[in-house]
Amino acid sequence: MSSNQNNPFKAMALTSGILSQLAGCTLVGIFFGRWLDNQFTTTPLFLILGLFLGLAAGTYGTILLVRKYTGEDQT
């Protein structure tokens, strides 16, 4: 095992990065969807779309973050 995987502070940083990616993107998607619903009076449509787009963006960001942390990032 390398020293990169034994450091508890790096593990905590990765965990908080994953949490902020997932929660932040989802919340931004929800709030933006609600705002669009208020603008166009289409009550649940953009909220649901914003939720799913936020979850997708958070998942994609999390995958990129974990790949970078583990060293599998080829770019």
Side-chain angles (χ1 to χ4, degrees):
M1 280 191 151
S2 67
S3 65
N4 190 19
Q5 294 175 345
N6 287 333
N7 193 347
F9 294 116
K10 289 191 180 196
M12 287 190 303
L14 178 65
T15 304
S16 66
I18 290 171
L19 177 67
S20 64
Q21 282 282 342
L22 288 175
C25 290
T26 304
L27 287 175
V28 167
I30 288 172
F31 287 125
F32 188 65
R34 285 184 62 195
W35 180 79
L36 284 175
D37 279 335
N38 288 334
Q39 298 297 317
F40 298 117
T41 61
T42 57
T43 303
L45 177 66
F46 289 112
L47 174 69
I48 294 169
L49 287 174
L51 171 68
F52 287 132
L53 287 174
L55 284 171
T59 303
Y60 181 71
T62 300
I63 290 169
L64 290 180
L65 181 68
V66 170
R67 287 181 73 194
K68 190 174 192 177
Y69 179 78
T70 58
E72 295 177 14
D73 189 19
Q74 299 296 326
T75 58

